[in-house]
Amino acid sequence: MVLSILIPTPPPETVFSGGLPFGATEAVKGAYGTTVQIVDTPEEGFQLTLKLDLAKLPSDEERRTQLMTKIASLRSVVLGAPMREILKHLAFKIVAPDADRLVALVHRPKESFFLIPQPEKVTVVFPMRFKDSVDVILATSFLQEFMEARRTAGLNNAPSCVWSTSPPLELKGAPAHALHANAGFVSFVIFPRHVVGKKLEKTVWSLSSFHSYVNYHIKCSKSFMHTRMRRRVETLIQALNRAKPEVEKDKKTAQGRSFRRQLTK
């Protein structure tokens, strides 16, 4: 089976090598091993083409399902490769040798988020942009609640989360077009304890899919509100129908004459 992937159009501040984020080829090889072979020349219109050898799939049902799920997450593996490399070095409290002070990673067409690597921590900043004005309002409310939820007792060990309407100081030096976000900026601070052992892949996945996560909850909120509004309208229509006065019909005698009965007090 042949699998090809199209990378979102990168903004100018991101660093690509051969049409892919740096470290993407090594990340694919490390994630899939000998089951997947990278084709030297990708299919036309794509940046990466893989050949999947179905004969090498694990015979165990559980392992096969895990591998297929990982293959379905190819986009995250490719786009999250630079982040994975930076966070891998964070576990040893060192900065990745090829990392700049401000690293821009693409996650949507012509949009990027930023990593600020340091030996003791890595700050991840997401400029949140939405086309629909209603989405902007819902996202702003959701992100404020998201920041407040982090302060609850059960989430003491989770990465700290800060939302603001203005660009954080960590983005000093970022291009001007990247500093415009109609739904504000979300910052996460990742410490070595968040990327130790198996936590690394979970952290990379959560950060790589954060914008999709927020977008999903916005769509769910809109769907819920629309459902509630439709139910409310149906209830009001039923109430209005019950309030309509009954029209008294004419009654007829045995001779065929019609009459109406007058109500006496």
Side-chain angles (χ1 to χ4, degrees):
M1 185 176 71
V2 176
L3 178 64
S4 298
I5 184 173
L6 176 65
I7 305 297
T9 305
E13 64 268 15
T14 55
V15 178
F16 271 42
S17 176
L20 295 172
F22 71 86
T25 303
E26 292 75 12
V28 170
K29 292 179 179 178
Y32 306 119
T34 58
T35 309
V36 167
Q37 177 187 354
I38 299 177
V39 179
D40 294 334
T41 304
E43 290 185 334
E44 186 177 356
F46 298 91
Q47 285 84 14
L48 180 66
T49 298
L50 306 178
K51 277 186 178 180
L52 176 61
D53 190 349
L54 300 179
K56 293 184 178 180
L57 290 177
S59 57
D60 181 68
E61 182 69 24
E62 184 177 354
R63 290 177 56 199
R64 188 190 303 120
T65 302
Q66 290 177 351
L67 178 60
M68 298 308 294
T69 303
K70 189 180 292 185
I71 292 174
S73 305
L74 175 62
R75 186 178 186 273
S76 176
V77 172
V78 172
L79 296 182
M83 184 195 307
R84 185 178 291 102
E85 191 66 23
I86 290 173
L87 296 181
K88 191 184 298 183
H89 284 77
L90 174 64
F92 299 98
K93 297 184 179 181
I94 58 176
V95 177
D98 297 330
D100 297 329
R101 188 199 69 82
L102 186 66
V103 180
L105 303 182
V106 63
H107 66 139
R108 289 158 57 88
K110 298 182 180 180
E111 290 187 20
S112 58
F113 66 99
F114 298 89
L115 272 68
I116 300 89
Q118 295 175 302
E120 299 292 333
K121 65 180 180 180
V122 172
T123 305
V124 185
V125 182
F126 290 90
M128 304 301 292
R129 304 180 183 91
F130 297 91
K131 294 181 180 179
D132 188 81
S133 58
V134 176
D135 288 0
V136 172
I137 296 172
L138 292 175
T140 300
S141 176
F142 176 80
L143 293 171
Q144 287 175 328
E145 292 295 329
F146 196 85
M147 180 177 62
E148 292 297 326
R150 164 61 181 81
R151 299 175 182 175
T152 58
L155 299 175
N156 289 333
N157 293 325
S160 61
C161 174
V162 177
W163 175 84
S164 63
T165 56
S166 57
L169 296 177
E170 288 85 357
L171 292 187
K172 184 178 181 181
H177 69 86
L179 301 179
H180 296 284
N182 54 9
F185 299 81
V186 181
S187 302
F188 294 99
V189 180
I190 310 299
F191 292 102
R193 68 175 183 271
H194 298 132
V195 294
V196 175
K198 295 181 180 180
K199 293 181 180 180
L200 174 63
E201 292 301 324
K202 185 176 181 180
T203 301
V204 172
W205 169 260
S206 299
L207 292 172
S208 298
S209 58
F210 177 70
H211 197 288
S212 299
Y213 169 83
V214 175
N215 200 48
Y216 167 79
H217 282 280
I218 290 174
K219 300 306 180 187
C220 288
S221 299
K222 292 174 73 174
S223 176
F224 174 75
M225 286 187 286
H226 289 166
T227 302
R228 290 289 300 272
M229 286 190 290
R230 283 194 294 269
R231 289 177 181 173
R232 181 61 175 164
V233 169
E234 291 173 358
T235 302
L236 292 174
I237 291 176
Q238 292 175 359
L240 290 173
N241 289 335
R242 289 195 299 267
K244 289 181 180 178
E246 294 184 2
V247 178
E248 188 176 356
K249 296 180 179 180
D250 291 342
K251 295 183 179 181
K252 293 185 178 182
T253 64
Q255 290 77 22
R257 297 178 180 179
S258 60
F259 70 95
R260 292 186 180 182
R261 181 178 296 175
Q262 292 183 351
L263 300 177
T264 57
K265 294 183 179 179

